[in-house]
Amino acid sequence: MAGRMVVGSAALAALVRPASAPDPAGGHRMLPVAPELTGLLPNRGLRRGSTVAVSVGRPRRSGGTSLVLALLAEASRAGSWCAVVGVPTFGVGAAAELGIALDRLALVPDPGPEWPTVVAALIDGVDVVVTAVPQTVSASVADRLAARARQRGCVLVPYGRWDGADVTLQVVRGAWEGLGVGRGRLRRREVTVSARGRGAAARPKEIKVWLPGDHLTRVIPRPTATAAGAAGRSRGALTLVGRA
């Protein structure tokens, strides 16, 4: 089953109407995230009405897309509607493997010049809206969309540079696992994710996670002083270990 491909304003309106109907997750002010990611967010989840940006990073293929998928997975599994705008290479198969419900996922691969209108309409009826940020977006348009998300109780997740976000997440370092000496397959990537923001998120944070992860992941807690001393080089970072 694939996510719903949305083309044209009529199809968008038809999607928003049912998505706006009451659902079990609709009354909750906090949408869940995977336990490994709670330490990055000031409320340990996705607060309705907030803007949580995922910085693209340099180079562009820096793990940001996997981080977006990880952010969506728990909310989707709990019953929330999600939408992804302006990401034509979005991996539906990878989304399904992480537990994102494809029958509650709307895809708008190429919104074109109607990007602000499309995003605003989805904000009105979808719980979480991920959108690639056009290079030409103005600060006034970004502010209006963030304000609309606050009013409607939607979590806006800009994928790219977005000034003024409540929290900005970015993959800052990473190392692949799986390749041996001249052989093997890339299986997963250990990445360091940073979080910075304003208000309760003003203090920068960093954690280490495995991307991609899945629902069988487990958290290795911060080591105690005794364990840290024995480890010698341990940095005490939160680490996510996923199935190979």
Side-chain angles (χ1 to χ4, degrees):
M1 181 184 298
R4 301 189 184 192
M5 194 75 68
V6 182
V7 180
S9 57
L12 184 61
L15 169 70
V16 169
R17 281 195 294 270
S20 301
D23 64 82
H28 299 164
R29 294 303 302 170
M30 200 70 60
L31 302 182
V33 296
E36 310 81 42
L37 301 178
T38 57
L40 291 170
L41 303 168
N43 299 287
R44 303 185 67 79
L46 297 172
R47 178 176 55 82
R48 286 184 178 273
S50 65
T51 299
V52 180
V54 176
S55 181
V56 171
R58 298 174 184 271
R60 187 174 181 85
R61 296 181 64 86
S62 60
T65 302
S66 295
L67 180 56
V68 167
L69 289 171
L71 282 174
L72 294 181
E74 288 298 320
S76 176
R77 190 179 290 118
S80 294
W81 275 77
C82 302
V84 179
V85 181
V87 188
T89 58
F90 183 81
V92 175
E97 288 181 1
L98 282 176
I100 295 174
L102 300 186
D103 58 347
R104 292 192 301 273
L105 174 66
L107 302 177
V108 187
D110 185 10
E114 296 185 359
W115 176 81
T117 302
V118 169
V119 174
L122 287 167
I123 285 173
D124 286 348
V126 178
D127 299 299
V128 186
V129 176
V130 175
T131 178
V133 181
Q135 293 182 351
T136 57
V137 64
S138 65
S140 60
V141 169
D143 289 345
R144 285 200 299 270
L145 291 175
R148 194 181 191 104
R150 285 194 298 272
Q151 295 166 359
R152 302 296 188 181
C154 171
V155 180
L156 180 61
V157 183
Y159 183 30
R161 180 173 178 177
W162 190 275
D163 296 331
D166 296 295
V167 183
T168 298
L169 307 179
Q170 182 175 2
V171 175
V172 294
R173 289 182 294 277
W176 285 99
E177 180 184 279
L179 286 179
V181 180
R183 60 184 300 176
R185 298 179 62 185
L186 296 176
R187 294 184 297 174
R188 60 182 184 176
R189 187 184 188 196
E190 184 189 57
V191 300
T192 300
V193 183
S194 70
R196 65 183 189 279
R198 55 186 184 178
R203 183 177 180 180
K205 301 178 181 179
E206 283 191 358
I207 66 170
K208 286 185 179 181
V209 299
W210 288 112
L211 293 177
D214 59 27
H215 62 285
L216 297 179
T217 57
R218 62 187 178 89
V219 178
I220 298 178
R222 188 183 302 273
T224 63
T226 302
R233 294 190 299 273
S234 174
R235 296 177 60 187
L238 180 69
T239 302
L240 163 66
V241 177
R243 182 178 58 191

